[in-house]
RNA sequence: GGACGAUUAGCUCAGCUGGUUAGAGCGUGCGAUUCACAUUCGCAAGGCCACUGGUUCAAAUCCAGUAUCGUCCACCA
């Protein structure tokens, strides 16, 4: 051995950046280059993944590292297996999250809110922030060793993607699937925007259930946890068969004074009322409750809005006017007690609705918004899906459902199929308009009573564009095909779509996976991906999620600097099955750092042992020169290859990585090297021993490469007969 | 209220389609080591595989139920 580099223990930070640079400069992350240079066969199969775009709100955390590692391992494996392999990078503008983050930053640093800056300036500031974040993210993805084709990088809010969403919006609008309507939506008073049902979280909290009558003359008592909303009541609903209340149905009661407001309450019968719950009578507040809104629609009840966008009372009553809802609640309760109308107060626990981003309490409000109708029938225009014919009547819901029910998409682990189907079955129309400034503008213009929807601005004067932006998931839903060139009929789209694999966290099954299926089956007539691999959440050693409030975050770059990327990747691969959460432990990373060093030392030792055979040019390896014992070892090793290949093909990376680890250390290093060492020393069957050692080393470097790309590439470059890069070597045959 | 997951060595977890003495990492104990590696090697201790039944020649693995923990979904006012 003449290589000084090998003398010291393996030090990852000395090598990793240089190795990544070599890979990137080679151009082999781009499948076109691999085909052009004859590395990949022209007739080979395609393999494609699109990176779940990280939010451009900051830096990557350990969870991203985990997700990226899985994808890189499979991508490297597929590339080595000879497929035309494409992994597309990108970032997500993450409208709401980014908007909130930048607004908070400006508030903190300059004491200004977005209205102080104005829309144009604010959006400019967000874009500047996003540009910086994207740079950081790109650097971090390289650090992890991601073999992404940077020449195809995309962003959810660039011009190409904007054309995509405008095109789809228009088509949906023309199909009557996108509509504008005034109805009760989830309003986030803290974020000052509407949100979809999926962005609402539920948290159990204690509350008081008040039972009371509107007035001394009112015949029926009702129960509520929100008495302040009762000034907006226009009806009391009872079950049609309820003997207690039957006689009042159809009557209207005028209440002159309810906490300073005048009410007109009609008694109505509705099947949805549970006679067993509370008093069996439900005070109907059409403007501030989803169910009540629906009841009001059925009975043609008037609507009275009593709460505004800032969660303050929007009434004339001097008792309540402009008060926060929580204060108004106490005022009304006190008023009821004083008027002797309160019959019961009991503590209960109830689910309260919270906006997932802002953590503000969601206030149902009636608003004019844009929606996607998931239940409306339309004529399906494509004949490319096997289970739905061209010209058939479908709904978006049906499209989303049939893809999974027909097993057109293979879901790993399969238990998420049920979760998905259950969600679709309960799916309601999707509110897609947001009142934030950063995002894709809704491609609709108004002129008096006229409405225009289109990808291009109307030519004549006098049109004003809708002020709202689109839910960020509307654009994320197009990710697999918008990154490949749609709506143009590109080669990429033809070759790489549907993509082979998608690798999101299971928490994105509704937000994203379902929406990709919706958008892709609707717009392209294809499934977005053939396989989904749901990964779990990386937690801290106590099993808690990483969060800013707990201050338990771990910066992957720190871990990499201390232990090396390969060690971190192994720690995030071995033993972590699909859909399972894991606990991040430095001890595990350290163990794989030791493994990296083991690989380093064993490789050096093997090269020292076999150095003479190159001098007498007895290479390349020839299995016929092995003795019977060594042939048997090769046979056993082939079984390991089969096993590992099988695991890779079936998305069991956590097993494949462990198997190669175990074989290298505890079979190859502990047993085979030790054995060969003695034979070489004593010159017994030494030639066979050397052949065996070198063959096994090289083949194992290939098997290890998808998981530990840096150290294996480095060692590969030090082999006496290596020519090109390990990343484009052929996966071992068996 | 529904659905799902977990329960295996002191700790963190594997165990894929049921098949010889149930595995790994870390930790613990004893020993080795001028010979690639103290980021090493060998040996050892430590497990009614949550519980109860069932299917089977055979169950940690399949089925039913129970318990505990956890996650997701749901407009009970």
């Amino acid at each position: 051995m003449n290589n000084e580099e090998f003398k010291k223990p393996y030090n990852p930070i000395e090598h990793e950046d240089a190795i990544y640079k070599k890979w990137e400069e080679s151009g082999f992350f781009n499948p076109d280059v691999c085909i052009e240079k004859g590395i990949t066969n022209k007739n080979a199969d395609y393999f494609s993944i699109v990176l779940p775009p990280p939010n451009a709100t900051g830096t990557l955390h350990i969870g991203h590292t985990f997700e990226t590692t899985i994808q890189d391992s499979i991508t490297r494996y597929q590339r080595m297996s000879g497929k035309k392999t494409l992994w597309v990078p990108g970032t997500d503008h993450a409208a709401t999250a980014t908007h909130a983050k930048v607004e908070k930053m400006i508030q903190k640093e300059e004491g200004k809110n977005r209205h102080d800056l104005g829309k144009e300036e604010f959006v400019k500031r967000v874009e500047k922030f996003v540009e910086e974040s994207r740079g950081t993210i790109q650097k971090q993805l390289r650090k992890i060793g991601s073999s992404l084709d940077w020449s195809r990088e995309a962003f959810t809010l660039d011009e190409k993607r904007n054309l995509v969403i405008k095109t789809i919006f228009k088509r949906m609008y023309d199909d009557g699937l996108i509509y504008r309507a005034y109805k009760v939506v989830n309003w986030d008073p803290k974020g000052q925007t509407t949100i979809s049902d999926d962005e609402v979280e539920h948290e159990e909290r204690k509350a008081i259930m008040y039972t009371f009558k509107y007035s001394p003359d009112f015949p029926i008592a009702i129960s509520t946890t929100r008495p302040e909303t009762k000034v907006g009541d226009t009806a009391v609903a009872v079950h049609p068969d309820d003997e207690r209340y039957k006689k009042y149905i159809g009557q209207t009661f005028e209440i002159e004074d309810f906490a300073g407001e005048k009410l007109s309450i009609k008694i109505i019968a509705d099947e949805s009322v549970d006679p067993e719950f509370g008093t069996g009578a439900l005070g109907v507040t059409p403007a501030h409750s989803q169910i009540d809104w629906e009841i009001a629609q059925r009975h043609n009840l008037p609507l009275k809005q009593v709460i505004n966008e800032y969660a303050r009372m929007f009434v004339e009553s001097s008792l309540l006017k402009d008060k926060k809802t929580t204060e108004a609640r106490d005022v009304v309760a006190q008023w009821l007690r004083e008027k002797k109308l309160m019959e019961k107060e009991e503590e209960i626990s109830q689910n309260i609705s919270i906006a997932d981003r802002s953590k503000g309490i969601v206030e149902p409000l009636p608003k004019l918004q844009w929606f996607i109708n998931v239940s409306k029938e339309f004529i399906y225009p494509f004949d490319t899906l096997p289970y739905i014919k061209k010209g058939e009547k479908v709904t978006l819901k049906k499209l989303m459902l049939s893809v999974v029910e027909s097993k057109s998409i293979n879901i790993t682990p399969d238990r998420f199929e049920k979760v998905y189907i259950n969600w679709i079955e309960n799916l309601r129309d999707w509110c897609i308009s947001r009142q934030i400034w950063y995002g894709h503008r809704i491609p609709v213009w108004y002129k008096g009573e006229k409405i225009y929807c289109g990808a291009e601005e109307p030519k004549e004067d006098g049109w004003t564009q809708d002020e709202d932006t689109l839910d960020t998931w509307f654009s994320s839903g197009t990710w697999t095909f918008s990154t490949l060139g749609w709506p143009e009929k590109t080669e990429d789209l033809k070759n790489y779509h549907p993509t082979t694999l998608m690798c999101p966290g299971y928490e994105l099954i509704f937000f994203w996976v379902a929406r990709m299926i919706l958008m892709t089956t609707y717009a392209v007539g294809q499934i977005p991906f053939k396989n989904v691999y749901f990964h779990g959440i990386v937690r801290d050693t106590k099993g808690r999620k990483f969060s800013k409030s707990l201050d338990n975050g771990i910066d992957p770059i720190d871990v990499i600097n201390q232990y090396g990327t390969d060690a971190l990747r192994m720690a995030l691969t071995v033993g972590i099955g699909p859909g399972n959460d894991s606990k991040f432990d430095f001890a595990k990373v350290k163990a794989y750092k030791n493994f990296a060093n083991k690989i380093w030392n064993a490789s050096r030792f093997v090269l020292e042992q076999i150095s003479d055979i190159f001098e007498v040019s007895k290479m390349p390896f020839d299995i016929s020169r092995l003795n019977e014992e060594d042939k048997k070892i090769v046979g056993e090793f082939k079984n390991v290859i089969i096993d590992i290949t099988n695991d890779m093909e079936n998305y069991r990376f956590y097993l494949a990585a462990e198997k190669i680890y175990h074989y290298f250390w505890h079979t190859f290093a502990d047993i085979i090297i030790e054995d060969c060492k003695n034979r070489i020393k004593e010159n017994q069957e030494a030639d066979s021993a050397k052949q065996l050692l070198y063959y096994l080393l090289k083949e194992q470097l290939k098997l290890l490469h998808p998981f530990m790309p840096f150290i294996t590439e480095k060692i590969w470059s030090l082999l006496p007969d290596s020519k090109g890069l390990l990343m484009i070597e052929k996966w071992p045959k068996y």
Side-chain angles (χ1 to χ4, degrees), chain A residues 69-70 72-74 76-77 144 565-570 573-574 644 648 652-658 660-661 702-710 712 731:
Chain A
T69 297
I70 298 169
D72 191 52
S73 298
I74 183 73
R76 286 178 184 275
Y77 163 75
I144 302 163
T565 305
D566 293 324
L568 175 59
R569 289 171 59 122
M570 279 298 271
T573 304
V574 173
I644 290 171
M648 293 306 282
R652 295 189 296 258
F653 319 115
Y654 62 110
L655 291 181
E658 189 176 10
I660 183 59
Y661 160 83
K702 294 177 195 167
L703 295 178
L704 279 162
H705 182 76
F707 307 107
M708 306 181 80
F710 289 105
T712 50
W731 186 254

Side-chain angles (χ1 to χ4, degrees), chain A residues 298-410:
Chain A
R298 286 199 286 273
H299 298 272
N300 216 1
L301 296 171
L303 165 140
K304 187 182 172 195
Q305 184 174 346
V306 296
I307 297 168
N308 69 13
E309 280 78 2
Y310 300 96
R312 286 177 184 273
M313 298 309 289
F314 183 57
V315 289
E316 290 307 313
S317 162
S318 56
L319 279 175
L320 303 173
K321 192 176 180 188
D322 293 334
K323 283 204 163 60
K324 282 187 184 167
T325 51
T326 43
E327 291 164 7
R329 187 169 310 159
D330 295 338
V331 171
V332 174
Q334 188 53 33
W335 184 88
L336 287 166
R337 288 183 207 111
E338 278 164 15
K339 299 288 174 188
K340 305 266 184 287
L341 294 168
M342 188 77 85
E343 293 186 355
K344 201 159 78 178
E345 296 180 48
E346 54 178 335
E347 196 179 67
I348 57 154
S349 73
Q350 67 159 12
N351 276 335
I352 187 160
S353 299
I354 292 170
D356 66 348
R357 285 290 166 194
S358 73
K359 304 295 172 197
I361 294 174
V362 171
E363 193 64 61
L365 284 184
K367 291 191 103 29
L368 183 59
Q369 297 294 318
W370 288 96
F371 297 87
I372 291 185
N373 190 333
V374 292
S375 308
K376 187 186 158 90
E377 285 195 331
F378 65 101
I379 306 291
Y380 198 63
F382 302 103
D383 56 3
T384 38
L385 287 183
Y387 43 87
I388 289 177
K389 298 281 159 285
K390 186 174 176 172
E392 195 177 321
K393 272 189 181 167
V394 291
T395 63
L396 292 173
K397 222 169 168 170
K398 190 181 170 193
L399 279 175
M400 293 165 94
L401 209 51
S402 55
V403 162
V404 171
E405 279 179 340
S406 66
K407 310 268 177 196
S408 304
I409 295 178
N410 168 43

Side-chain angles (χ1 to χ4, degrees), chain A residues 107-121:
Chain A
Q107 184 72 50
K108 206 175 156 193
E109 286 163 18
E110 302 167 37
K112 291 179 183 167
N113 65 32
R114 60 166 154 146
H115 298 284
D116 297 330
L117 293 177
K119 188 165 177 171
E120 203 179 322
E121 174 63 15

Side-chain angles (χ1 to χ4, degrees), chain A residues 189-206:
Chain A
K190 214 171 163 187
Q192 285 294 300
T193 182
T194 51
I195 55 176
S196 66
D197 294 343
D198 304 286
E199 290 164 283
V200 178
E201 287 175 351
H202 299 281
E203 201 175 292
E204 198 166 290
R205 287 201 191 161
K206 290 257 183 292

Side-chain angles (χ1 to χ4, degrees), chain A residues 578-596:
Chain A
N580 287 350
D581 292 356
S582 55
K583 290 177 188 168
F584 184 81
D585 190 351
F586 281 100
K588 195 172 173 189
V589 187
K590 193 175 165 232
Y592 289 107
K593 185 188 159 102
N594 294 352
F595 179 50

Side-chain angles (χ1 to χ4, degrees), chain A residues 229-503:
Chain A
T229 64
K230 297 288 108 181
V231 294
D233 281 13
T234 55
V236 162
V238 297
H239 194 274
D241 302 331
D242 197 322
E243 292 300 331
R244 295 169 295 179
Y245 305 128
K246 245 182 174 169
K247 53 183 175 286
Y248 303 114
I249 294 169
Q251 294 183 34
T252 301
F253 294 81
E254 301 299 332
I255 291 137
E256 288 307 316
D257 175 21
F258 180 78
E261 283 290 298
K262 233 179 124 173
L263 303 184
S264 178
I265 305 288
K266 190 179 178 188
I267 313 296
I268 57 164
D270 197 281
E271 294 276 350
S272 70
V273 178
D274 176 5
E276 303 298 317
F277 188 89
T279 63
L282 165 65
V284 183
T285 323
H288 300 290
S289 152
Q290 298 263 8
I291 341 168
D292 293 12
W293 168 268
E294 282 158 25
I295 294 174
Q297 293 291 101
R298 286 199 286 273
H299 298 272
N300 216 1
L301 296 171
L303 165 140
K304 187 182 172 195
Q305 184 174 346
V306 296
I307 297 168
N308 69 13
E309 280 78 2
Y310 300 96
R312 286 177 184 273
M313 298 309 289
F314 183 57
V315 289
E316 290 307 313
S317 162
S318 56
L319 279 175
L320 303 173
K321 192 176 180 188
D322 293 334
K323 283 204 163 60
K324 282 187 184 167
T325 51
T326 43
E327 291 164 7
R329 187 169 310 159
D330 295 338
V331 171
V332 174
Q334 188 53 33
W335 184 88
L336 287 166
R337 288 183 207 111
E338 278 164 15
K339 299 288 174 188
K340 305 266 184 287
L341 294 168
M342 188 77 85
E343 293 186 355
K344 201 159 78 178
E345 296 180 48
E346 54 178 335
E347 196 179 67
I348 57 154
S349 73
Q350 67 159 12
N351 276 335
I352 187 160
S353 299
I354 292 170
D356 66 348
R357 285 290 166 194
S358 73
K359 304 295 172 197
I361 294 174
V362 171
E363 193 64 61
L365 284 184
K367 291 191 103 29
L368 183 59
Q369 297 294 318
W370 288 96
F371 297 87
I372 291 185
N373 190 333
V374 292
S375 308
K376 187 186 158 90
E377 285 195 331
F378 65 101
I379 306 291
Y380 198 63
F382 302 103
D383 56 3
T384 38
L385 287 183
Y387 43 87
I388 289 177
K389 298 281 159 285
K390 186 174 176 172
E392 195 177 321
K393 272 189 181 167
V394 291
T395 63
L396 292 173
K397 222 169 168 170
K398 190 181 170 193
L399 279 175
M400 293 165 94
L401 209 51
S402 55
V403 162
V404 171
E405 279 179 340
S406 66
K407 310 268 177 196
S408 304
I409 295 178
N410 168 43
I411 296 176
T412 307
D414 58 7
R415 64 183 139 93
F416 287 109
E417 262 178 39
K418 266 194 197 166
V419 178
Y420 176 90
I421 288 168
N422 180 263
W423 181 80
I424 303 283
E425 281 168 351
N426 295 311
L427 188 61
R428 302 186 312 169
D429 287 1
W430 173 16
C431 176
I432 51 170
S433 46
R434 298 289 178 273
Q435 289 67 54
I436 58 172
W437 293 343
Y438 181 62
H440 289 286
R441 199 76 179 269
I442 289 184
V444 170
W445 286 261
Y446 308 101
K447 187 176 183 178
E449 292 299 298
K450 286 191 284 183
I451 292 187
Y452 170 83
C453 173
E456 299 296 327
E457 197 173 341
K459 296 267 186 300
E460 327 91 78
D461 291 341
W463 290 92
T464 332
Q465 187 170 8
D466 195 301
E467 285 298 323
D468 286 355
T469 50
L470 282 167
D471 182 0
T472 195
W473 299 105
F474 188 100
S475 52
S476 311
T478 70
W479 192 233
T480 61
F481 58 91
S482 67
T483 50
L484 294 174
W486 192 91
E488 281 174 58
K489 289 189 172 120
T490 60
E491 282 292 302
D492 272 4
L493 203 58
K494 195 181 93 197
N495 295 335
Y496 294 106
H497 204 275
T499 60
T500 319
L501 178 66
M502 178 52 68
C503 192

